[in-house]
Amino acid sequence: MTKNDILWEKAKRIFPGGVNSPVRAFKAVGGTPIVFESGKGSKLTSVDGKEYIDYVGAWGPQILGHAHPAITEAIKKAAGNSASFGASCNLEIELGEKILSSIPSIEIIRFVNSGTEAAMSALRLARGFTGRNKIIKFAGCYHGHADFLLVKAGSGAMTFGTPDSKGVPESYASETLIARYNDINDVDRIIKMHEKEIAGIILEPVVGNMGVVLPEKDFIEGLRSRCDKIGALLIFDEVMTGFRVSRSCAQGLFGIKPDLTCLGKIIGGGLPIGAYGGRREIMEQLSPLGPVYQAGTNSGNPVVMAAGSAALENLTPTVYEKLEHLSNMLEKGFKKFSKRKILIQRCGSMMTLFFVNDAEARIRSADDLDIVDRKIYGEYFQHMLKNGIYLPPSQFEAFFVSAAHSEEDISRAIEAFSKF
Ligand code: KE4
């Protein structure tokens, strides 16, 4: 037995399914999860010393690559000055300023410790600010595991969500209304029934969680105008897209100003983080100023703040040019050498390769996922792994290029794919 196998057997005795987050268990692709020991730049190394080119990037945070010197140095320095104060600190102010200067729609921000916390809190705030209870989310979008967000459409015709996890009471799910992504008419249908009850509409402005799905112009602009019209808040969940798809996030790319934005991943430089922010009049409803409560022992943790600041300081225009160049090279190479019908949907350095039965089709919403040939993905994943390429262990995720990737890394992924 390899060291990996021995450790995996131990992990299964310690954690549910051997993991601390379900997608890591390789359930969708089969085989034994890799137990990693180190990462440097674009590479990950397993406990058996096997090296992989990493296209998961810790699910988005590692946009500059693993163990980036500036981030590592910042973490070491901050940790040497105490790992946590539970009080105001200069480092949280520094990171807060950096984010406010990058995202004009955020006038005030609150740090939390995960994307889940950010989305959950933003929606509580939306409900507190508007005095309304219902929210609209989109089938296929994921905003973390807060009870009322673990909801997907019931049968196609239904609008009220039904929980897609045990332990979520129907009553919680009933306040969550499910619409079809990229379908403004479906949103209008729901608004027609519930206009005065809707506190907010939340979406991934570029979806990563059904695989990458891009918003259509009339859809995302239409959401802004509908929210203005009915007095609901437009909430962009930029936990994945924030500082990923551009330095000004997806909202900068599309020129749309949401009322609230959720952030996470990249702004923590790889450490646990979340944040939500937006219009001052909304954010000032938050305790201790206002009646909407939210709190957190480790919110604004100095070590996390230092890592996040180091990351944002290094996300320069040159970095985004490199990310675009390498991601474009990868997309073109996969398309050129594919022996099967594939569909690649990409926004900057986040993309998904779908195995499809109609290469001309596009995936615009969760309804279109029927064109995906789900059984091939597992074989592809294992083939690429054998060739030293580490991809997300699920067809319905995004994969990522980092600024630490080289043209040689990209060529190796293309070369491996050309043999599949
Ligand atoms: P966390 O609570 O995992 O920090 O963030 C939840 C979240 C919120 N919003 C979006 C758009 C997200 O993508 C996520 C988390 N993303 C997943 C990957 N698709 C994290 C990986 C995992 O769950 O293990």
Side-chain angles (χ1 to χ4, degrees), residues 20-24 58-59 113-117 119 142-145 204 206 208-209 237-241 262 264-265 273-274 396-398:
N20 283 297
S21 196
V23 72
R24 303 174 188 175
W59 302 99
N113 302 286
S114 70
T116 293
E117 236 191 306
Y142 176 69
H143 306 292
H145 63 85
E204 294 180 62
V206 175
N209 288 291
D237 176 347
E238 297 226 41
V239 167
M240 188 184 288
T241 56
C262 305
K265 294 184 193 271
I273 195 160
F396 303 107
E397 292 285 355

PDB file of all heavy atoms in Angstrom, residues 20-24 58-59 113-117 119 142-145 204 206 208-209 237-241 262 264-265 273-274 396-398, ligand 1:
ATOM      1  N   ASN A  20     -13.234  16.707   4.575  1.00  0.00           N
ATOM      2  CA  ASN A  20     -13.851  17.834   5.283  1.00  0.00           C
ATOM      3  C   ASN A  20     -14.683  18.702   4.359  1.00  0.00           C
ATOM      4  O   ASN A  20     -15.162  19.766   4.763  1.00  0.00           O
ATOM      5  CB  ASN A  20     -12.772  18.645   5.998  1.00  0.00           C
ATOM      6  CG  ASN A  20     -12.330  17.914   7.267  1.00  0.00           C
ATOM      7  OD1 ASN A  20     -13.117  17.713   8.180  1.00  0.00           O
ATOM      8  ND2 ASN A  20     -11.098  17.451   7.280  1.00  0.00           N
ATOM      9  N   SER A  21     -14.823  18.274   3.110  1.00  0.00           N
ATOM     10  CA  SER A  21     -15.765  18.895   2.189  1.00  0.00           C
ATOM     11  C   SER A  21     -16.087  17.859   1.110  1.00  0.00           C
ATOM     12  O   SER A  21     -15.150  17.266   0.539  1.00  0.00           O
ATOM     13  CB  SER A  21     -15.183  20.170   1.561  1.00  0.00           C
ATOM     14  OG  SER A  21     -16.228  20.933   0.989  1.00  0.00           O
ATOM     15  N   PRO A  22     -17.370  17.619   0.838  1.00  0.00           N
ATOM     16  CA  PRO A  22     -17.781  16.437   0.061  1.00  0.00           C
ATOM     17  C   PRO A  22     -17.113  16.262  -1.298  1.00  0.00           C
ATOM     18  O   PRO A  22     -16.737  15.153  -1.658  1.00  0.00           O
ATOM     19  CB  PRO A  22     -19.284  16.635  -0.093  1.00  0.00           C
ATOM     20  CG  PRO A  22     -19.686  17.491   1.054  1.00  0.00           C
ATOM     21  CD  PRO A  22     -18.524  18.401   1.317  1.00  0.00           C
ATOM     22  N   VAL A  23     -16.960  17.370  -2.039  1.00  0.00           N
ATOM     23  CA  VAL A  23     -16.470  17.226  -3.423  1.00  0.00           C
ATOM     24  C   VAL A  23     -15.089  16.598  -3.485  1.00  0.00           C
ATOM     25  O   VAL A  23     -14.691  16.002  -4.489  1.00  0.00           O
ATOM     26  CB  VAL A  23     -16.501  18.601  -4.157  1.00  0.00           C
ATOM     27  CG1 VAL A  23     -15.399  19.523  -3.622  1.00  0.00           C
ATOM     28  CG2 VAL A  23     -16.382  18.429  -5.658  1.00  0.00           C
ATOM     29  N   ARG A  24     -14.341  16.679  -2.375  1.00  0.00           N
ATOM     30  CA  ARG A  24     -12.966  16.168  -2.358  1.00  0.00           C
ATOM     31  C   ARG A  24     -12.902  14.632  -2.361  1.00  0.00           C
ATOM     32  O   ARG A  24     -11.845  14.069  -2.568  1.00  0.00           O
ATOM     33  CB  ARG A  24     -12.244  16.659  -1.107  1.00  0.00           C
ATOM     34  CG  ARG A  24     -12.211  18.168  -0.933  1.00  0.00           C
ATOM     35  CD  ARG A  24     -11.597  18.537   0.398  1.00  0.00           C
ATOM     36  NE  ARG A  24     -11.729  19.970   0.682  1.00  0.00           N
ATOM     37  CZ  ARG A  24     -11.350  20.518   1.822  1.00  0.00           C
ATOM     38  NH1 ARG A  24     -10.817  19.762   2.778  1.00  0.00           N
ATOM     39  NH2 ARG A  24     -11.500  21.810   2.039  1.00  0.00           N
ATOM     40  N   ALA A  58      -7.233  25.168  -5.216  1.00  0.00           N
ATOM     41  CA  ALA A  58      -7.983  25.211  -3.939  1.00  0.00           C
ATOM     42  C   ALA A  58      -9.401  25.737  -4.165  1.00  0.00           C
ATOM     43  O   ALA A  58      -9.979  26.391  -3.297  1.00  0.00           O
ATOM     44  CB  ALA A  58      -7.250  26.041  -2.889  1.00  0.00           C
ATOM     45  N   TRP A  59      -9.939  25.531  -5.385  1.00  0.00           N
ATOM     46  CA  TRP A  59     -11.297  25.956  -5.802  1.00  0.00           C
ATOM     47  C   TRP A  59     -11.366  27.456  -6.010  1.00  0.00           C
ATOM     48  O   TRP A  59     -12.399  28.091  -5.843  1.00  0.00           O
ATOM     49  CB  TRP A  59     -12.367  25.483  -4.805  1.00  0.00           C
ATOM     50  CG  TRP A  59     -12.338  23.997  -4.654  1.00  0.00           C
ATOM     51  CD1 TRP A  59     -11.736  23.293  -3.656  1.00  0.00           C
ATOM     52  CD2 TRP A  59     -12.876  23.027  -5.557  1.00  0.00           C
ATOM     53  NE1 TRP A  59     -11.859  21.950  -3.886  1.00  0.00           N
ATOM     54  CE2 TRP A  59     -12.562  21.760  -5.046  1.00  0.00           C
ATOM     55  CE3 TRP A  59     -13.588  23.109  -6.767  1.00  0.00           C
ATOM     56  CZ2 TRP A  59     -12.928  20.583  -5.697  1.00  0.00           C
ATOM     57  CZ3 TRP A  59     -13.956  21.947  -7.406  1.00  0.00           C
ATOM     58  CH2 TRP A  59     -13.629  20.695  -6.877  1.00  0.00           C
ATOM     59  N   ASN A 113     -15.863  34.601   7.708  1.00  0.00           N
ATOM     60  CA  ASN A 113     -14.829  33.562   7.596  1.00  0.00           C
ATOM     61  C   ASN A 113     -15.054  32.538   6.511  1.00  0.00           C
ATOM     62  O   ASN A 113     -14.275  31.582   6.401  1.00  0.00           O
ATOM     63  CB  ASN A 113     -14.675  32.865   8.955  1.00  0.00           C
ATOM     64  CG  ASN A 113     -14.307  33.864  10.031  1.00  0.00           C
ATOM     65  OD1 ASN A 113     -13.188  34.325  10.087  1.00  0.00           O
ATOM     66  ND2 ASN A 113     -15.284  34.284  10.818  1.00  0.00           N
ATOM     67  N   SER A 114     -16.121  32.718   5.719  1.00  0.00           N
ATOM     68  CA  SER A 114     -16.350  31.793   4.600  1.00  0.00           C
ATOM     69  C   SER A 114     -17.332  32.430   3.634  1.00  0.00           C
ATOM     70  O   SER A 114     -18.049  33.379   3.993  1.00  0.00           O
ATOM     71  CB  SER A 114     -16.923  30.457   5.109  1.00  0.00           C
ATOM     72  OG  SER A 114     -18.268  30.651   5.556  1.00  0.00           O
ATOM     73  N   GLY A 115     -17.389  31.880   2.436  1.00  0.00           N
ATOM     74  CA  GLY A 115     -18.357  32.358   1.469  1.00  0.00           C
ATOM     75  C   GLY A 115     -19.786  32.076   1.915  1.00  0.00           C
ATOM     76  O   GLY A 115     -20.698  32.867   1.693  1.00  0.00           O
ATOM     77  N   THR A 116     -19.939  30.943   2.595  1.00  0.00           N
ATOM     78  CA  THR A 116     -21.263  30.597   3.135  1.00  0.00           C
ATOM     79  C   THR A 116     -21.756  31.675   4.084  1.00  0.00           C
ATOM     80  O   THR A 116     -22.890  32.156   3.993  1.00  0.00           O
ATOM     81  CB  THR A 116     -21.199  29.253   3.888  1.00  0.00           C
ATOM     82  OG1 THR A 116     -20.934  28.212   2.943  1.00  0.00           O
ATOM     83  CG2 THR A 116     -22.468  28.957   4.650  1.00  0.00           C
ATOM     84  N   GLU A 117     -20.879  32.071   4.992  1.00  0.00           N
ATOM     85  CA  GLU A 117     -21.231  33.106   5.977  1.00  0.00           C
ATOM     86  C   GLU A 117     -21.545  34.432   5.270  1.00  0.00           C
ATOM     87  O   GLU A 117     -22.464  35.153   5.647  1.00  0.00           O
ATOM     88  CB  GLU A 117     -20.025  33.316   6.902  1.00  0.00           C
ATOM     89  CG  GLU A 117     -20.318  33.143   8.372  1.00  0.00           C
ATOM     90  CD  GLU A 117     -19.162  33.636   9.218  1.00  0.00           C
ATOM     91  OE1 GLU A 117     -18.014  33.190   9.006  1.00  0.00           O
ATOM     92  OE2 GLU A 117     -19.413  34.505  10.062  1.00  0.00           O
ATOM     93  N   ALA A 119     -22.736  34.907   2.162  1.00  0.00           N
ATOM     94  CA  ALA A 119     -24.041  34.870   1.467  1.00  0.00           C
ATOM     95  C   ALA A 119     -25.195  34.834   2.458  1.00  0.00           C
ATOM     96  O   ALA A 119     -26.191  35.563   2.317  1.00  0.00           O
ATOM     97  CB  ALA A 119     -24.086  33.651   0.547  1.00  0.00           C
ATOM     98  N   TYR A 142     -24.711  28.049  -6.587  1.00  0.00           N
ATOM     99  CA  TYR A 142     -24.400  27.613  -5.218  1.00  0.00           C
ATOM    100  C   TYR A 142     -23.872  28.817  -4.451  1.00  0.00           C
ATOM    101  O   TYR A 142     -23.003  29.549  -4.948  1.00  0.00           O
ATOM    102  CB  TYR A 142     -23.341  26.501  -5.253  1.00  0.00           C
ATOM    103  CG  TYR A 142     -22.853  26.030  -3.898  1.00  0.00           C
ATOM    104  CD1 TYR A 142     -23.682  25.322  -3.040  1.00  0.00           C
ATOM    105  CD2 TYR A 142     -21.550  26.299  -3.483  1.00  0.00           C
ATOM    106  CE1 TYR A 142     -23.231  24.863  -1.800  1.00  0.00           C
ATOM    107  CE2 TYR A 142     -21.089  25.862  -2.242  1.00  0.00           C
ATOM    108  CZ  TYR A 142     -21.928  25.142  -1.404  1.00  0.00           C
ATOM    109  OH  TYR A 142     -21.469  24.702  -0.177  1.00  0.00           O
ATOM    110  N   HIS A 143     -24.418  28.995  -3.263  1.00  0.00           N
ATOM    111  CA  HIS A 143     -24.012  30.154  -2.455  1.00  0.00           C
ATOM    112  C   HIS A 143     -23.612  29.690  -1.045  1.00  0.00           C
ATOM    113  O   HIS A 143     -23.823  30.400  -0.067  1.00  0.00           O
ATOM    114  CB  HIS A 143     -25.160  31.166  -2.373  1.00  0.00           C
ATOM    115  CG  HIS A 143     -25.684  31.577  -3.708  1.00  0.00           C
ATOM    116  ND1 HIS A 143     -24.958  32.322  -4.614  1.00  0.00           N
ATOM    117  CD2 HIS A 143     -26.853  31.286  -4.335  1.00  0.00           C
ATOM    118  CE1 HIS A 143     -25.664  32.508  -5.721  1.00  0.00           C
ATOM    119  NE2 HIS A 143     -26.812  31.895  -5.600  1.00  0.00           N
ATOM    120  N   GLY A 144     -23.035  28.470  -0.954  1.00  0.00           N
ATOM    121  CA  GLY A 144     -22.690  27.956   0.353  1.00  0.00           C
ATOM    122  C   GLY A 144     -23.825  27.133   0.940  1.00  0.00           C
ATOM    123  O   GLY A 144     -24.876  26.957   0.306  1.00  0.00           O
ATOM    124  N   HIS A 145     -23.627  26.646   2.151  1.00  0.00           N
ATOM    125  CA  HIS A 145     -24.548  25.617   2.675  1.00  0.00           C
ATOM    126  C   HIS A 145     -25.492  26.116   3.768  1.00  0.00           C
ATOM    127  O   HIS A 145     -25.979  25.344   4.584  1.00  0.00           O
ATOM    128  CB  HIS A 145     -23.725  24.413   3.176  1.00  0.00           C
ATOM    129  CG  HIS A 145     -22.812  24.735   4.332  1.00  0.00           C
ATOM    130  ND1 HIS A 145     -23.248  24.714   5.638  1.00  0.00           N
ATOM    131  CD2 HIS A 145     -21.514  25.118   4.357  1.00  0.00           C
ATOM    132  CE1 HIS A 145     -22.243  25.081   6.424  1.00  0.00           C
ATOM    133  NE2 HIS A 145     -21.190  25.328   5.689  1.00  0.00           N
ATOM    134  N   GLU A 204     -24.757  34.040  -8.970  1.00  0.00           N
ATOM    135  CA  GLU A 204     -23.339  34.070  -9.351  1.00  0.00           C
ATOM    136  C   GLU A 204     -23.280  34.826 -10.676  1.00  0.00           C
ATOM    137  O   GLU A 204     -23.847  34.344 -11.667  1.00  0.00           O
ATOM    138  CB  GLU A 204     -22.813  32.643  -9.558  1.00  0.00           C
ATOM    139  CG  GLU A 204     -22.756  31.767  -8.326  1.00  0.00           C
ATOM    140  CD  GLU A 204     -22.218  30.374  -8.674  1.00  0.00           C
ATOM    141  OE1 GLU A 204     -21.062  30.272  -9.131  1.00  0.00           O
ATOM    142  OE2 GLU A 204     -22.953  29.396  -8.516  1.00  0.00           O
ATOM    143  N   VAL A 206     -21.060  35.193 -12.858  1.00  0.00           N
ATOM    144  CA  VAL A 206     -20.621  34.158 -13.796  1.00  0.00           C
ATOM    145  C   VAL A 206     -20.706  32.874 -12.962  1.00  0.00           C
ATOM    146  O   VAL A 206     -20.087  32.798 -11.898  1.00  0.00           O
ATOM    147  CB  VAL A 206     -19.162  34.356 -14.287  1.00  0.00           C
ATOM    148  CG1 VAL A 206     -18.726  33.172 -15.163  1.00  0.00           C
ATOM    149  CG2 VAL A 206     -19.016  35.662 -15.057  1.00  0.00           C
ATOM    150  N   GLY A 208     -20.061  29.327 -11.545  1.00  0.00           N
ATOM    151  CA  GLY A 208     -18.970  28.341 -11.534  1.00  0.00           C
ATOM    152  C   GLY A 208     -19.499  26.989 -11.096  1.00  0.00           C
ATOM    153  O   GLY A 208     -18.895  25.960 -11.345  1.00  0.00           O
ATOM    154  N   ASN A 209     -20.668  26.995 -10.453  1.00  0.00           N
ATOM    155  CA  ASN A 209     -21.114  25.806  -9.714  1.00  0.00           C
ATOM    156  C   ASN A 209     -22.079  24.881 -10.421  1.00  0.00           C
ATOM    157  O   ASN A 209     -22.598  23.965  -9.803  1.00  0.00           O
ATOM    158  CB  ASN A 209     -21.690  26.249  -8.368  1.00  0.00           C
ATOM    159  CG  ASN A 209     -20.576  26.700  -7.436  1.00  0.00           C
ATOM    160  OD1 ASN A 209     -19.779  25.874  -6.979  1.00  0.00           O
ATOM    161  ND2 ASN A 209     -20.451  27.987  -7.224  1.00  0.00           N
ATOM    162  N   ASP A 237     -23.088  37.211  -5.862  1.00  0.00           N
ATOM    163  CA  ASP A 237     -22.204  36.314  -5.116  1.00  0.00           C
ATOM    164  C   ASP A 237     -20.903  36.188  -5.929  1.00  0.00           C
ATOM    165  O   ASP A 237     -20.839  35.407  -6.869  1.00  0.00           O
ATOM    166  CB  ASP A 237     -22.875  34.951  -4.919  1.00  0.00           C
ATOM    167  CG  ASP A 237     -21.944  33.975  -4.228  1.00  0.00           C
ATOM    168  OD1 ASP A 237     -20.733  34.256  -4.123  1.00  0.00           O
ATOM    169  OD2 ASP A 237     -22.422  32.901  -3.802  1.00  0.00           O
ATOM    170  N   GLU A 238     -19.917  36.992  -5.554  1.00  0.00           N
ATOM    171  CA  GLU A 238     -18.622  37.004  -6.254  1.00  0.00           C
ATOM    172  C   GLU A 238     -17.555  36.264  -5.438  1.00  0.00           C
ATOM    173  O   GLU A 238     -16.359  36.553  -5.560  1.00  0.00           O
ATOM    174  CB  GLU A 238     -18.199  38.445  -6.567  1.00  0.00           C
ATOM    175  CG  GLU A 238     -19.160  39.164  -7.526  1.00  0.00           C
ATOM    176  CD  GLU A 238     -18.445  39.913  -8.646  1.00  0.00           C
ATOM    177  OE1 GLU A 238     -17.475  39.375  -9.200  1.00  0.00           O
ATOM    178  OE2 GLU A 238     -18.853  41.058  -8.967  1.00  0.00           O
ATOM    179  N   VAL A 239     -17.997  35.308  -4.661  1.00  0.00           N
ATOM    180  CA  VAL A 239     -17.039  34.507  -3.894  1.00  0.00           C
ATOM    181  C   VAL A 239     -16.023  33.877  -4.843  1.00  0.00           C
ATOM    182  O   VAL A 239     -14.830  33.852  -4.565  1.00  0.00           O
ATOM    183  CB  VAL A 239     -17.774  33.428  -3.062  1.00  0.00           C
ATOM    184  CG1 VAL A 239     -16.808  32.391  -2.508  1.00  0.00           C
ATOM    185  CG2 VAL A 239     -18.550  34.082  -1.922  1.00  0.00           C
ATOM    186  N   MET A 240     -16.471  33.380  -5.990  1.00  0.00           N
ATOM    187  CA  MET A 240     -15.547  32.753  -6.944  1.00  0.00           C
ATOM    188  C   MET A 240     -15.041  33.770  -7.982  1.00  0.00           C
ATOM    189  O   MET A 240     -13.887  33.787  -8.333  1.00  0.00           O
ATOM    190  CB  MET A 240     -16.235  31.583  -7.659  1.00  0.00           C
ATOM    191  CG  MET A 240     -15.302  30.756  -8.507  1.00  0.00           C
ATOM    192  SD  MET A 240     -16.121  29.453  -9.431  1.00  0.00           S
ATOM    193  CE  MET A 240     -16.538  28.284  -8.157  1.00  0.00           C
ATOM    194  N   THR A 241     -15.923  34.634  -8.470  1.00  0.00           N
ATOM    195  CA  THR A 241     -15.549  35.545  -9.553  1.00  0.00           C
ATOM    196  C   THR A 241     -14.776  36.768  -9.056  1.00  0.00           C
ATOM    197  O   THR A 241     -14.097  37.424  -9.847  1.00  0.00           O
ATOM    198  CB  THR A 241     -16.810  36.051 -10.267  1.00  0.00           C
ATOM    199  OG1 THR A 241     -17.676  36.655  -9.278  1.00  0.00           O
ATOM    200  CG2 THR A 241     -17.552  34.923 -10.966  1.00  0.00           C
ATOM    201  N   CYS A 262     -21.039  39.560  -2.298  1.00  0.00           N
ATOM    202  CA  CYS A 262     -20.387  38.581  -1.421  1.00  0.00           C
ATOM    203  C   CYS A 262     -19.019  38.245  -2.015  1.00  0.00           C
ATOM    204  O   CYS A 262     -18.905  38.084  -3.238  1.00  0.00           O
ATOM    205  CB  CYS A 262     -21.207  37.291  -1.341  1.00  0.00           C
ATOM    206  SG  CYS A 262     -22.912  37.553  -0.842  1.00  0.00           S
ATOM    207  N   GLY A 264     -14.990  36.106  -1.200  1.00  0.00           N
ATOM    208  CA  GLY A 264     -14.327  35.043  -0.452  1.00  0.00           C
ATOM    209  C   GLY A 264     -13.086  34.620  -1.224  1.00  0.00           C
ATOM    210  O   GLY A 264     -12.571  35.377  -2.051  1.00  0.00           O
ATOM    211  N   LYS A 265     -12.618  33.402  -0.961  1.00  0.00           N
ATOM    212  CA  LYS A 265     -11.542  32.780  -1.746  1.00  0.00           C
ATOM    213  C   LYS A 265     -10.323  33.695  -1.939  1.00  0.00           C
ATOM    214  O   LYS A 265      -9.542  33.908  -1.024  1.00  0.00           O
ATOM    215  CB  LYS A 265     -12.113  32.294  -3.078  1.00  0.00           C
ATOM    216  CG  LYS A 265     -13.134  31.138  -2.890  1.00  0.00           C
ATOM    217  CD  LYS A 265     -13.630  30.574  -4.193  1.00  0.00           C
ATOM    218  CE  LYS A 265     -14.849  29.692  -3.989  1.00  0.00           C
ATOM    219  NZ  LYS A 265     -14.551  28.307  -3.721  1.00  0.00           N
ATOM    220  N   ILE A 273     -11.774  32.816   4.514  1.00  0.00           N
ATOM    221  CA  ILE A 273     -12.316  34.187   4.505  1.00  0.00           C
ATOM    222  C   ILE A 273     -13.645  34.273   3.774  1.00  0.00           C
ATOM    223  O   ILE A 273     -13.984  33.405   2.969  1.00  0.00           O
ATOM    224  CB  ILE A 273     -11.327  35.167   3.847  1.00  0.00           C
ATOM    225  CG1 ILE A 273     -11.708  36.621   4.148  1.00  0.00           C
ATOM    226  CG2 ILE A 273     -11.267  34.921   2.308  1.00  0.00           C
ATOM    227  CD1 ILE A 273     -10.607  37.616   3.965  1.00  0.00           C
ATOM    228  N   GLY A 274     -14.384  35.283   4.100  1.00  0.00           N
ATOM    229  CA  GLY A 274     -15.575  35.696   3.354  1.00  0.00           C
ATOM    230  C   GLY A 274     -15.763  37.174   3.660  1.00  0.00           C
ATOM    231  O   GLY A 274     -15.109  37.724   4.571  1.00  0.00           O
ATOM    232  N   PHE A 396     -19.258  19.301 -12.825  1.00  0.00           N
ATOM    233  CA  PHE A 396     -20.006  20.549 -12.646  1.00  0.00           C
ATOM    234  C   PHE A 396     -19.282  21.524 -11.714  1.00  0.00           C
ATOM    235  O   PHE A 396     -19.845  22.049 -10.759  1.00  0.00           O
ATOM    236  CB  PHE A 396     -21.430  20.231 -12.182  1.00  0.00           C
ATOM    237  CG  PHE A 396     -22.117  19.333 -13.163  1.00  0.00           C
ATOM    238  CD1 PHE A 396     -22.350  17.992 -12.876  1.00  0.00           C
ATOM    239  CD2 PHE A 396     -22.444  19.803 -14.427  1.00  0.00           C
ATOM    240  CE1 PHE A 396     -22.933  17.150 -13.817  1.00  0.00           C
ATOM    241  CE2 PHE A 396     -23.030  18.965 -15.374  1.00  0.00           C
ATOM    242  CZ  PHE A 396     -23.271  17.640 -15.069  1.00  0.00           C
ATOM    243  N   GLU A 397     -18.002  21.707 -12.025  1.00  0.00           N
ATOM    244  CA  GLU A 397     -17.199  22.694 -11.304  1.00  0.00           C
ATOM    245  C   GLU A 397     -16.382  23.467 -12.337  1.00  0.00           C
ATOM    246  O   GLU A 397     -16.263  23.055 -13.483  1.00  0.00           O
ATOM    247  CB  GLU A 397     -16.235  21.978 -10.342  1.00  0.00           C
ATOM    248  CG  GLU A 397     -16.918  21.279  -9.183  1.00  0.00           C
ATOM    249  CD  GLU A 397     -17.412  22.230  -8.101  1.00  0.00           C
ATOM    250  OE1 GLU A 397     -17.149  23.452  -8.203  1.00  0.00           O
ATOM    251  OE2 GLU A 397     -18.066  21.756  -7.165  1.00  0.00           O
ATOM    252  N   ALA A 398     -15.811  24.573 -11.905  1.00  0.00           N
ATOM    253  CA  ALA A 398     -14.878  25.322 -12.752  1.00  0.00           C
ATOM    254  C   ALA A 398     -13.474  24.827 -12.476  1.00  0.00           C
ATOM    255  O   ALA A 398     -13.183  24.365 -11.369  1.00  0.00           O
ATOM    256  CB  ALA A 398     -14.966  26.811 -12.419  1.00  0.00           C
TER     257      ALA A 398
HETATM  258  P1  KE4 B   1     -17.325  28.551   1.258  1.00  0.00           P
HETATM  259  O1  KE4 B   1     -18.329  28.539   2.397  1.00  0.00           O
HETATM  260  O2  KE4 B   1     -17.009  27.175   0.732  1.00  0.00           O
HETATM  261  O3  KE4 B   1     -16.071  29.398   1.585  1.00  0.00           O
HETATM  262  O4  KE4 B   1     -17.990  29.359   0.046  1.00  0.00           O
HETATM  263  C1  KE4 B   1     -19.251  28.948  -0.433  1.00  0.00           C
HETATM  264  C2  KE4 B   1     -19.429  29.471  -1.852  1.00  0.00           C
HETATM  265  C3  KE4 B   1     -20.246  30.565  -2.049  1.00  0.00           C
HETATM  266  N1  KE4 B   1     -20.438  31.071  -3.286  1.00  0.00           N
HETATM  267  C4  KE4 B   1     -19.818  30.533  -4.371  1.00  0.00           C
HETATM  268  C5  KE4 B   1     -20.065  31.133  -5.725  1.00  0.00           C
HETATM  269  C6  KE4 B   1     -18.967  29.408  -4.221  1.00  0.00           C
HETATM  270  O5  KE4 B   1     -18.382  28.869  -5.320  1.00  0.00           O
HETATM  271  C7  KE4 B   1     -18.762  28.867  -2.945  1.00  0.00           C
HETATM  272  C8  KE4 B   1     -17.887  27.651  -2.708  1.00  0.00           C
HETATM  273  N2  KE4 B   1     -17.353  27.028  -3.860  1.00  0.00           N
HETATM  274  C9  KE4 B   1     -17.060  25.610  -3.763  1.00  0.00           C
HETATM  275  C10 KE4 B   1     -16.581  25.110  -5.138  1.00  0.00           C
HETATM  276  N3  KE4 B   1     -17.546  25.253  -6.139  1.00  0.00           N
HETATM  277  C11 KE4 B   1     -16.082  25.322  -2.680  1.00  0.00           C
HETATM  278  C12 KE4 B   1     -15.529  23.926  -2.715  1.00  0.00           C
HETATM  279  C13 KE4 B   1     -16.142  23.044  -1.663  1.00  0.00           C
HETATM  280  O6  KE4 B   1     -17.349  23.194  -1.356  1.00  0.00           O
HETATM  281  O7  KE4 B   1     -15.382  22.190  -1.152  1.00  0.00           O
END
